[in-house]
Amino acid sequence: MSATPSASRAAAVDPAAAGVDEAPVDVAAPARTPVEVIDIPTARVHHPSDLLGTILSGLAIVLVMALATYAHNTTTGVAEDVQGFATLLSQILFVPVQVLEGFVTLVVPLAVITELAFRRLGRQLLEGLLAALVAVLLNEIVRYAVEHLAPDALAVGLSIRSDGEWLVTLPGYLAMLVGLLTVVGPRARRRTVKWSWNLLWVATGVLLITAGVSLPGLMVSFLVGRVAGLGVRYLSGVLSERAYGESLVSGVRRAGFEPVRLVRVADPTTDAEAADSKASVPDLGTDPAARALTRSTRDRVYALTTDAGDDLDLVVIDGDRQVVGMLTRLWRSLRMRGIEGRSVVSLRQASERAALLAYAARASGVRTPKLLSMAESEDSMLLVQERPGRAVPLAELPPEAFTDELLAEIWAQLHLAHEAGIAHRALTSDVILVEDIVGRPVVWITSWELGDVASSELARRMDVTQLVALLALRVGAARAVGSAADVLPDHDIGAIGPLLQTITLPRLTRDEMRAHKQVLTELRTALIARLPEADVEPQQLVRFGARTVLTVVVPIVAVLFVITSINIDEISLALSQSDSRWTALAFALGMLTLVGAALAFVAFSPVKLRLWTTILVQTAAAFVALAAPAGLGPAALNLRMLTKRGVTASLSAATVALVQVSQLIVTLGLLLVLTLVSGNKESALPISPVVLIVIGIVAGLVAMSLLIPRVRQWVLAKTLPTLRQTWPRLIEVVGQPWRLALALAGNLIMTLGFIFAFYASMEAFGQHATLIQVALVYLAGNTAGALIPTPGGMGTIELGLATALASITGMNAGIATSVAIVFRVVTYWLRIPIGWVAMQYLQKRGEL
């Protein structure tokens, strides 16, 4: 069957090309047969670009306020430079600035509202008025917050000097007009909108030059209007500019085909529209291959029947979806190593890239639907392509259909693409189609728009990884690896070992893998069984994850919070009155904790360790803590020290776990002893009844949650492995009383050393508290800060200690922050260079 009758198409476009003489007579064009279009059009769409613009405008407001606060001289200088034109402007203007401002405020809304009313765009008119109202309200909320809640520096940054006083200038009319004009549409569509924007810019420029408003205040009001306008537009949705109905038919004709019938293929969007619609829903296309195409591309697909009787697929790429695709590609390229960034941002660029990949894949010999033509209609690009016969997606094949011949054909098609340097990058069970022709499987690979030409080796290795994981879910790991080895060279098979990670797999494959979580492990085992020399150690593919972001952002926020909460005058006074002898004592007590940690580790070690070397290891851990969450630095070096001395990994892990468990037990026991010993000799209990009630409620909730079987199983799953690891070593240590006594002494020295160092830090500022209070503050603050996994507890422990000290002892927050900072300086920061020296020494000696 001919997909494109070239003769008839050429005649339609160029009569001379078909050998037809042009006659200079006026012949009426033949009437076209009505086209049957079966579709569920989307009347209104929620543009992701509007949501993105709302978020960016909100962030810009925060940035402008920060600049107004901390870069006040810069913003003031820019405003003064602009205001240098005030004299010249006063000679040009023939009306007062207030009159111009009132004119703009009155004329712009009237002009826009009148046009919308004449065009009978009632909904858009209401949306514009709502956006204007929301903008005014938001602007007034910001004004109130600046005047009554914000620091004085921010209020001054958003103000002008008037009659000897600072006056906050956030022009509400500007926010109102920006919100209104943002909703009613782009400048190019309506003349009143275009001239309204121009007039608004002129008025605001004049106002700024004549010092009627501050530059930061002007920017904040403008951005508030954008937030209101874009937010209302996103929530309400805008009229769809996608190609539907007649515009869709016109686009198909521009592509060179005369359509007779267009039937929308059912997809998630039509399913949702059908569920929400109360009217009858038309019968949509249900071809398995076409439905798989909609799932893999997220685009609209139509079954196209031409007047020549050809059955084709029409893929429609909509412009409003390009923002989501662009952000997804950008995030993936930033997060993953070896994935180059993309400059594709427009609808045309995305469509041209899809066409390029389709042509390149087909030219390389890969069986993929032939792209026949492209056209543009409204805010959509139309791609007309051949239909892949009666193929069905891999996801819908029965298990018995996965023959060795089929597996070999799948790998052969991918190998052809890789031989031409083309990578797919999104191989799923929806993009691999299988057609049965006379009992022989024929494989198609579709949806190449995310692929690469001249691809990197890593991209091709990821393709192989995706395909072997996809097949392993259906035929088992051993057979999947074997089928790949029958077609691909051993080098290509062995290279996938480090990539057998969930991050390399498309979302659909990851979703399928949730029911078979051991597939990747089974694949590693099968790979080693076939290639014993293969490396299966996971390769670092992700530049950063949620944990990395947390460890970077949280310390910055915590440090900023600590710095901004400091009362400089009180701290300066406290520092001038502090006693350096107490600070030196606190440093010495902090160093003593390293001896205690070394004693406890020596006591639990299964091999003999030199005390001095162990002390150096604990000192070096202070340097390692810069790159590891609090508590993990010493554990990592202790583990390394044992494995370096021939201790097995399991026994080393059990020993390190036992050390940490013993530290927790000794700390809790010491707190209990201090509480009992203090009795009535100390001051009143430093914890308020409210805190005790909260603790009781939390304890009750924890106890109740343990009654739920699923929660209880989760707790056991988390605690039993540690208990199984530490129990044999604990039994062995209990059988040697001197080890138990040494471990107890070491843990006591370490815990008491930190408590007394904190006590000395308080005394350095002339602050006094009972021992039980100091112990509670240190244990509560240090534990709360260590819960957030920042390197060395930076920022979080300081904040936790300061908060606990202020709440438990009633100390002034500024001085409490000073005490916490001094304590951390002498017990953490000053030990870092010493730890670096210890690390260099141990590495030279080969101890680590």
Side-chain angles (χ1 to χ4, degrees), residues 74-274:
T74 301
T75 55
T76 303
V78 173
E80 290 175 351
D81 292 340
V82 175
Q83 291 161 7
F85 296 97
T87 304
L88 176 62
L89 186 66
S90 62
Q91 298 174 357
I92 298 175
L93 285 177
F94 58 88
V95 294
V97 175
Q98 290 78 8
V99 174
L100 178 62
E101 181 181 337
F103 177 77
V104 172
T105 306
L106 180 64
V107 168
V108 168
L110 284 178
V112 173
I113 290 173
T114 301
E115 181 177 5
L116 293 177
F118 273 112
R119 292 177 179 268
R120 298 181 180 180
L121 299 175
R123 175 165 178 165
Q124 198 166 11
L125 174 59
L126 293 177
E127 291 171 354
L129 295 176
L130 175 62
L133 177 60
V134 171
V136 171
L137 292 177
L138 287 178
N139 195 74
E140 292 307 310
I141 290 173
V142 172
R143 182 194 302 277
Y144 178 85
V146 169
E147 291 178 346
H148 298 89
L149 304 177
D152 293 339
L154 176 58
V156 171
L158 299 176
S159 303
I160 59 172
R161 199 75 173 174
S162 177
D163 298 330
E165 296 183 354
W166 288 106
L167 177 64
V168 176
T169 54
L170 293 172
Y173 79 92
L174 176 63
M176 176 192 71
L177 296 179
V178 170
L180 172 66
L181 295 177
T182 299
V183 169
V184 296
R187 297 164 55 100
R189 181 164 299 178
R190 296 185 177 89
R191 188 176 298 273
T192 56
V193 176
K194 175 182 178 180
W195 285 106
S196 295
W197 275 114
N198 294 338
L199 191 59
L200 182 61
W201 286 120
V202 170
T204 53
V206 169
L207 193 62
L208 178 63
I209 291 174
T210 56
V213 66
S214 66
L215 177 61
L218 190 71
M219 297 174 66
V220 168
S221 290
F222 177 85
L223 292 169
V224 165
R226 290 292 290 176
V227 168
L230 292 172
V232 169
R233 198 164 72 182
Y234 177 75
L235 294 175
S236 177
V238 296
L239 291 176
S240 174
E241 298 178 2
R242 301 172 179 176
Y244 287 109
E246 188 58 37
S247 62
L248 183 63
V249 172
S250 299
V252 174
R253 287 171 176 158
R254 280 195 295 274
F257 297 90
E258 182 60 40
V260 174
R261 194 167 187 262
L262 281 169
V263 181
R264 175 81 172 269
V265 177
D267 56 39
T269 302
T270 60
D271 294 341
E273 292 280 349

Side-chain angles (χ1 to χ4, degrees), residues 760-812:
S761 300
M762 292 178 57
E763 290 292 337
F765 289 92
Q767 303 298 315
H768 309 286
T770 64
L771 189 60
I772 183 63
Q773 284 180 319
V774 175
L776 279 173
V777 169
Y778 168 72
L779 296 175
N782 191 73
T783 302
L787 289 176
I788 301 177
T790 62
M794 285 187 289
T796 56
I797 290 182
E798 287 87 344
L799 182 60
L801 288 172
T803 303
L805 186 60
S807 60
I808 290 179
T809 64
M811 188 182 300
N812 177 273

Side-chain angles (χ1 to χ4, degrees), residues 697-731:
I697 293 175
V698 171
L701 291 175
V702 171
M704 291 174 61
S705 65
L706 291 176
L707 298 176
I708 303 174
R710 192 170 286 183
V711 175
R712 190 165 59 249
Q713 291 171 3
W714 180 84
V715 172
L716 291 176
K718 293 295 183 181
T719 56
L720 282 180
T722 303
L723 184 60
R724 291 194 185 101
Q725 274 188 328
T726 58
W727 185 255
R729 285 293 301 147
L730 182 61
I731 295 299

Side-chain angles (χ1 to χ4, degrees), residues 407-415 464 467-468 471 480 483-484 487-488:
L407 299 181
E409 178 66 14
I410 294 173
W411 285 110
Q413 291 295 313
L414 182 62
H415 187 57
V464 177
L467 186 53
V468 76
L471 295 178
S483 65
V487 178
L488 305 179

Side-chain angles (χ1 to χ4, degrees), residues 17 57 85 96 185 278 297 361 376 386 570 585 598 613 648 757 771 789 793 810 814:
S57 298
F85 296 97
K278 297 180 181 179
T297 62
E376 185 175 10
E386 289 181 341
E570 292 183 353
L585 178 61
T613 303
T648 62
L771 189 60

Side-chain angles (χ1 to χ4, degrees), residues 594 601 609 613-626 628 631-645 652 656 660 835-836 838-840 842-843 847-848:
L594 300 175
F601 187 53
L609 301 176
T613 303
T614 310
I615 293 175
L616 289 178
V617 171
Q618 308 309 308
T619 306
F623 173 70
V624 177
L626 274 174
L632 291 187
L637 284 189
N638 289 342
L639 190 65
R640 176 65 177 167
M641 186 179 185
L642 291 179
T643 54
K644 190 73 174 178
R645 284 155 179 76
S652 299
V656 172
Q660 293 180 318
W836 180 82
M839 175 69 77
Q840 298 300 313
L842 291 171
Q843 288 180 338
E847 300 288 349
L848 292 177

